[in-house]
């Protein structure tokens, strides 16, 4: 999908609400927060991703003549509102946590500060972009962690839910830690490594397996990775691969990368046997790559069983995040102010489910690091008017268990503000790093997590707490809402 043609990538109710605001002459400036409530796939963290595409979307957001004609044909919108849309462009401010950052539930990943109609229009597209790419980046980081440092290739294009999901998902997977992708379009668009071998059909198109392997090796002597499970892995595939490797060796050809790939069968048993056969033939440095419905749990199990796999091709379960198919990010109103007012009025959404009660006001986030280890101690959501001195004690409050609070001793911690300006008065002020630079940054971020928070099963959660002023504001608004409700019910 062309990023320049996404203006109508929105839910109808965004436009009907916009027209309502237009008719009511709503001149409010508002603040919306993008956040999520639960980490995906049983993780203790997520990786925020999609900022680059969000920037492209905002930069190119305008209604074409065709867009206006289509909206007119719906017989919902008045001509004065359509005339407003024809001249629409974004004039507000956007703050975001940089792509590749470790993030946690309830903290704003993106903060939009703009006139109400402008902020309302962009809700759906921002959520669509951030939710999908953050989901896949997080899943990829778990898969790479399970692989223990051995290479992971993203192989999921043919199983992705559409071309956009496959292409932008490949980008997110590389940011999350994958070495590259099989998706050639993603390689071209984002300047990321493209990787791959050959399919079973290559083998089957020749009269015999050996001839197929030899022909492939002649064409691609520098990257000779042979798929050995078309007929019989141990009695045919591996022996024929060894024969071809020996011929390359005898001819004085030393591939930069060579080895075998298995896509089926008992991968633990077969790779152990194959490793022994390769080693005995003198090819101790040959790669053994595995693919076939892998995910982080199966990879961890195979490594626990001692499978000598040095490279992993992960497709369906990564690109679809099959165990957790939606990220669940939301876009909630946090504050507003009318034209002429200097201060924002905080807004709060109340729910019978405490986890769905929002944090009000104009907020920012500070990450708290242990000064000795550099590891994350927690995140602090606070009001933008607050300032902190790491030399002083810091008291923070649990957002749900309101009786809980803790104090961090001054001098034992360091702070870093996470939200940075992306757009100011409609102009982009952020310089995007490359995808591979973002990948490197993401690995640095992951290294700030404690080992206990990275484990795949029952990880230790990282706390996201509120500052005392935000804690007091939230409880003040809750009390006001409860009193108003009780008064109405009398």
């Amino acid at each position: 999908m062309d990023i320049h043609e996404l203006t109508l990538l929105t839910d109808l109710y965004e436009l009907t609400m916009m027209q309502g605001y237009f008719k009511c002459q709503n001149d409010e400036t508002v603040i919306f927060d993008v956040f999520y409530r639960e980490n995906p796939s049983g993780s203790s963290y997520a990786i925020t991703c999609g900022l680059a595409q969000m920037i492209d979307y905002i930069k190119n957001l305008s209604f074409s003549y065709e867009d206006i004609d289509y909206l007119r044909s719906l017989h919902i919108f008045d001509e004065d509102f359509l005339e407003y849309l024809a001249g629409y462009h974004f004039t507000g401010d956007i703050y975001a946590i940089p792509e590749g950052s470790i993030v946690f539930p309830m903290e704003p990943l993106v903060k939009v500060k703009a006139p109400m109609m402008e902020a309302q229009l962009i809700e759906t597209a921002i959520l669509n972009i951030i939710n999908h790419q953050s989901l896949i980046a997080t899943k990829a980081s778990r898969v790479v962690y399970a692989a223990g440092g051995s290479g992971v290739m993203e192989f999921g294009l043919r199983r992705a839910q559409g071309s956009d999901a496959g292409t932008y998902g490949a980008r997110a997977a590389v940011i999350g830690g994958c070495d590259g992708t099989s998706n050639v379009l993603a390689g071209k668009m984002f300047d990321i490594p493209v990787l791959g071998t050959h399919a079973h059909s290559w083998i089957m198109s020749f009269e015999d397996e050996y001839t197929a392997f030899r022909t492939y090796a002649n064409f691609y002597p520098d990257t000779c990775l042979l798929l050995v499970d078309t007929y019989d892995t141990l009695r045919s595939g591996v022996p024929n691969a060894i024969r071809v490797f020996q011929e390359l060796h005898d001819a004085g050809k030393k591939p930069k990368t060579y080895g075998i790939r298995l896509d089926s069968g008992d991968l633990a048993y077969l790779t152990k046997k194959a490793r022994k056969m390769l080693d005995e033939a003198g090819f101790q440095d040959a790669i053994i790559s595995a693919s076939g419905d892998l995910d982080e749990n199966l990879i961890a199990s195979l490594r626990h069983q001692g499978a000598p796999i040095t490279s992993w091709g992960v497709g369906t379960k990564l690109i679809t995040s099959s165990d957790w198919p939606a990220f669940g990010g939301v876009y909630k109103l946090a504050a507003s102010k009318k034209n002429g007012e200097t201060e924002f009025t905080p807004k709060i959404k109340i729910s019978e489910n405490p986890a769905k009660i929002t944090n009000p006001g104009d907020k920012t986030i500070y990450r708290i690091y242990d000064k000795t280890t550099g590891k994350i101690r927690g995140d602090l959501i606070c009001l933008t008017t607050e300032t902190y001195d790491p030399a002083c004690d810091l008291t923070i409050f649990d957002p749900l268990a309101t009786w809980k609070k803790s104090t961090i001793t001054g001098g034992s911690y360091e702070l870093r503000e996470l939200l940075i300006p992306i757009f100011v008065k409609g102009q982009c002020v952020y310089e995007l790093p490359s995808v591979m630079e973002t990948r490197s940054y993401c690995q640095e971020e992951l290294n700030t997590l404690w080992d206990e928070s990275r484990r795949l099963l029952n990880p230790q959660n990282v706390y996201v707490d509120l500052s005392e002023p935000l804690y007091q504001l939230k409880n003040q608004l809750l009390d006001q809402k409860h009193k108003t409700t009780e008064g109405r019910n009398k």
Side-chain angles (χ1 to χ4, degrees):
M1 185 180 295
D2 188 345
I3 194 68
H4 301 103
E5 297 179 0
L6 298 188
T7 300
L8 294 186
L9 184 68
T10 189
D11 293 305
L12 180 63
Y13 78 171
E14 311 287 16
L15 291 164
T16 55
M17 284 190 288
M18 283 180 71
Q19 179 166 248
Y21 296 139
F22 179 82
K23 294 293 186 181
C24 294
Q25 297 184 336
N26 184 317
D27 62 355
E28 288 184 316
T29 298
V30 295
I31 296 173
F32 277 94
D33 293 333
V34 175
F35 61 92
Y36 71 103
R37 299 188 177 101
E38 189 174 1
N39 289 314
S41 300
S43 179
S44 72
Y45 66 91
I47 294 173
T48 184
C49 196
L51 179 59
Q53 279 63 56
M54 188 193 80
I55 289 172
D56 282 343
Y57 163 72
I58 296 295
K59 282 182 174 180
N60 294 286
L61 188 57
S62 63
F63 288 82
S64 68
Y65 293 121
E66 292 80 8
D67 293 336
I68 297 298
D69 287 342
Y70 170 72
L71 293 176
R72 183 179 289 114
S73 74
L74 298 178
H75 304 293
I76 298 173
F77 303 107
D78 295 339
E79 285 301 319
D80 56 350
F81 176 64
L82 293 175
E83 184 177 344
Y84 161 78
L85 291 182
Y88 176 96
H89 63 281
F90 185 77
T91 65
D93 302 337
I94 295 180
Y95 301 80
I97 300 177
E99 280 190 290
S101 297
I102 300 301
V103 291
F104 307 107
M106 302 304 294
E107 59 191 19
L109 311 184
V110 178
K111 180 173 74 172
V112 176
K113 185 183 294 187
M116 179 55 120
M117 287 188 287
E118 295 180 28
Q120 193 71 71
L121 175 64
I122 62 179
E123 173 183 3
T124 301
I126 287 180
L127 289 176
N128 175 272
I129 293 167
I130 299 296
N131 276 337
H132 172 249
Q133 293 193 45
S134 298
L135 177 71
I136 304 306
T138 306
K139 186 68 170 180
S141 75
R142 289 172 57 81
V143 170
V144 171
Y145 178 76
S150 51
V152 176
M153 300 173 283
E154 186 282 308
F155 274 3
L157 178 58
R158 64 189 59 193
R159 302 285 175 78
Q161 284 98 341
S163 58
D164 275 7
T167 301
Y168 288 100
R171 177 186 186 274
V174 170
I175 286 174
C178 289
D179 291 337
T181 177
S182 65
N183 186 331
V184 180
L185 178 59
K188 175 188 175 185
M189 289 176 63
F190 310 123
D191 193 23
I192 56 180
V194 288
L195 306 163
T197 56
H198 58 78
H200 294 104
S201 57
W202 172 267
I203 311 295
M204 296 163 65
S205 68
F206 289 82
E207 291 185 2
D208 60 82
E209 188 175 52
Y210 163 68
T211 303
F213 285 171
R214 186 184 62 184
T215 304
Y216 189 84
N218 287 335
F219 286 146
Y220 308 106
D222 285 339
T223 54
C224 185
L225 202 62
L226 304 175
L227 182 59
V228 297
D229 66 344
T230 304
Y231 301 121
D232 189 307
T233 299
L234 299 179
R235 289 188 292 184
S236 175
V238 177
N240 281 322
I242 289 173
R243 183 180 173 187
V244 170
F245 297 154
Q246 188 64 52
E247 290 174 356
L248 289 172
H249 179 270
D250 293 343
K253 298 178 180 178
K254 176 64 175 176
K256 294 178 182 177
T257 302
Y258 78 104
I260 62 172
R261 178 166 73 94
L262 289 86
D263 191 54
S264 60
D266 186 331
L267 294 177
Y269 172 78
L270 292 173
T271 56
K272 289 176 186 177
K273 292 292 187 180
R275 181 77 274 164
K276 183 178 180 182
M277 295 167 68
L278 288 164
D279 290 351
E280 289 176 348
F283 300 110
Q284 292 87 352
D285 58 346
I287 289 171
I288 296 182
S289 179
S291 56
D293 288 331
L294 299 174
D295 64 6
E296 66 268 42
N297 299 310
L298 181 52
I299 290 173
S301 176
L302 288 167
R303 293 186 66 235
H304 180 73
Q305 296 172 66
I309 299 169
T310 50
S311 176
W312 310 83
V314 187
T316 304
K317 293 185 178 181
L318 192 167
I319 203 66
T320 65
S321 187
S322 59
D323 65 322
W324 195 284
F327 190 69
V330 295
Y331 188 87
K332 298 298 181 183
L333 182 65
S336 69
K337 67 176 180 180
K338 296 185 182 299
N339 188 26
E341 294 180 345
T342 57
E343 300 293 330
F344 279 97
T345 300
K347 302 287 185 177
I348 189 169
K349 175 186 177 294
I350 296 179
S351 170
E352 293 183 2
N353 180 351
K356 291 192 172 185
I357 297 175
T358 61
N359 293 314
D362 186 2
K363 301 175 294 295
T364 190
I365 313 155
Y366 285 98
R367 179 145 295 162
I368 307 169
Y369 296 96
D370 183 88
K371 195 169 184 177
T372 302
T373 65
K375 300 293 186 182
I376 298 174
R377 297 188 64 171
D379 279 3
L380 174 67
I381 307 176
C382 63
L383 300 171
T384 56
T385 53
E386 299 179 55
T387 58
Y388 292 94
D389 182 356
C392 300
D393 290 355
L394 178 63
T395 300
I396 53 181
F397 295 78
D398 189 290
L400 299 179
T402 54
W403 64 91
K404 289 184 181 180
K405 65 179 181 179
S406 59
T407 299
I408 302 174
T409 304
S412 70
Y413 67 94
E414 296 177 339
L415 295 175
R416 177 169 72 97
E417 189 170 6
L418 299 184
L419 284 170
I420 62 173
I422 307 298
F423 284 87
V424 175
K425 295 182 179 179
Q427 299 299 311
C428 184
V429 296
Y430 179 68
E431 185 174 344
L432 278 167
S434 71
V435 172
M436 299 308 289
E437 288 171 338
T438 303
R439 179 182 185 273
S440 296
Y441 166 73
C442 183
Q443 300 315 301
E444 294 172 2
E445 281 279 283
L446 287 164
N447 289 335
T448 64
L449 286 170
W450 300 89
D451 291 341
E452 293 82 355
S453 293
R454 293 213 66 186
R455 63 186 178 223
L456 298 177
L457 185 63
N458 296 324
Q460 174 64 39
N461 287 325
V462 176
Y463 291 102
V464 177
D465 287 329
L466 307 183
S467 68
E468 184 167 5
L470 179 55
Y471 171 82
Q472 298 294 347
L473 173 63
K474 185 173 184 178
N475 281 281
Q476 177 186 346
L477 292 177
L478 287 171
D479 288 343
Q480 291 175 357
K481 295 295 183 182
H482 287 317
K483 288 177 182 177
T484 301
T485 303
E486 289 174 0
R488 289 173 179 171
N489 290 336
K490 287 184 178 179

